[in-house]
Amino acid sequence: IKPGVKDRINTAYEYGGVAQAASAVENLTGIPIDHYAVVDFEGFKKVVNAMGGVKIDVRGRFPPGRNLREGVHRLNGSQALFYARYRHTPSGDLGRIERQQQMVAALRSQALSWNSVRRMPEIARAIHGNVKTDVSPREMISVGKVLLQRGRNARMTAVRLKGTPYTRPNGDEVLRPDQRENLRIIQSFLYR
């Protein structure tokens, strides 16, 4: 996480904010981090609500009272946040990561729909004050153009690094990284 400190990679942000988190990821993967975006939980809910909810194929079982049952549903901001953050499933944190990737893909696809374009002023208000980034407005427009060119249903790529599951004495569940296999995965991902 930082010199002399071993911990879960997601705690790097707690140790030193964006700079420490980027440094930890760069040290693990060898991939430079050029930009960042930090979205707080309230901001996430507000953006999803401003978009009119998010249509997602809910997978798995969730506690009663959350209105989350299997199948395709339009989730409001609170439901979407709960779905993306819930970890008490048989697949634990790894399942949560998959749901978060599923959520990002659904939001990306929906953001390119005509309905979301009509809602852009409301979405922009929800983003303002709830998202911190070093991406300039000009760069955001460039990224938006690329997303539009690729289309709503363009495939997103995600690669999970390998590791051995381990429960630390304090109860934290982690993956001890397989350095050799992860180097191969990263090289394959970067040079395809």
Side-chain angles (χ1 to χ4, degrees):
I1 300 301
K2 65 180 189 175
V5 178
K6 286 188 176 185
D7 204 338
R8 295 171 298 145
I9 195 163
N10 60 338
T11 62
Y13 186 82
E14 294 173 31
Y15 282 97
V18 169
Q20 192 62 43
S23 176
V25 171
E26 287 174 346
N27 288 334
L28 177 70
T29 65
I31 300 170
I33 305 300
D34 297 321
H35 296 288
Y36 71 89
V38 178
V39 182
D40 65 39
F41 293 142
E42 275 308 305
F44 177 84
K45 291 192 297 191
K46 287 177 182 176
V47 169
V48 170
N49 286 336
M51 292 176 70
V54 60
K55 189 174 177 182
I56 198 146
D57 185 4
V58 175
R59 302 173 192 151
R61 292 180 176 230
F62 298 90
R66 290 292 181 164
N67 257 352
L68 289 174
R69 56 191 187 285
E70 288 195 313
V72 177
H73 303 283
R74 182 165 298 279
L75 306 182
N76 66 32
S78 293
Q79 292 170 314
L81 181 62
F82 183 83
Y83 182 73
R85 295 195 65 215
Y86 189 69
R87 66 176 72 200
H88 303 291
T89 63
S91 56
D93 277 341
L94 296 178
R96 180 175 69 138
I97 291 166
E98 288 174 5
R99 286 190 302 282
Q100 289 170 353
Q101 291 171 346
Q102 178 193 17
M103 184 67 64
V104 168
L107 286 168
R108 178 194 163 279
S109 179
Q110 188 168 323
L112 298 175
S113 71
W114 175 245
N115 189 40
S116 290
V117 170
R118 288 186 312 112
R119 293 173 174 259
M120 198 49 71
E122 185 180 350
I123 294 168
R125 280 191 299 277
I127 290 172
H128 182 73
N130 292 300
V131 176
K132 294 178 183 140
T133 184
D134 66 344
V135 179
S136 71
R138 175 176 275 165
E139 290 168 318
M140 285 184 201
I141 291 169
S142 293
V143 170
K145 286 179 182 177
V146 170
L147 291 174
L148 285 170
Q149 288 170 348
R150 292 193 177 175
R152 286 182 62 193
N153 298 314
R155 199 171 136 247
M156 286 183 58
T157 303
V159 177
R160 181 184 297 162
L161 298 178
K162 301 291 182 191
T164 305
Y166 172 72
T167 302
R168 296 173 56 194
N170 67 0
D172 289 342
E173 294 178 9
V174 299
L175 289 179
R176 287 184 171 159
D178 179 334
Q179 302 291 17
R180 180 174 289 142
E181 181 64 12
N182 289 340
L183 179 61
R184 187 193 66 71
I185 290 169
I186 291 167
Q187 294 298 318
S188 172
F189 180 75
L190 289 175
Y191 301 110
R192 45 170 98 161

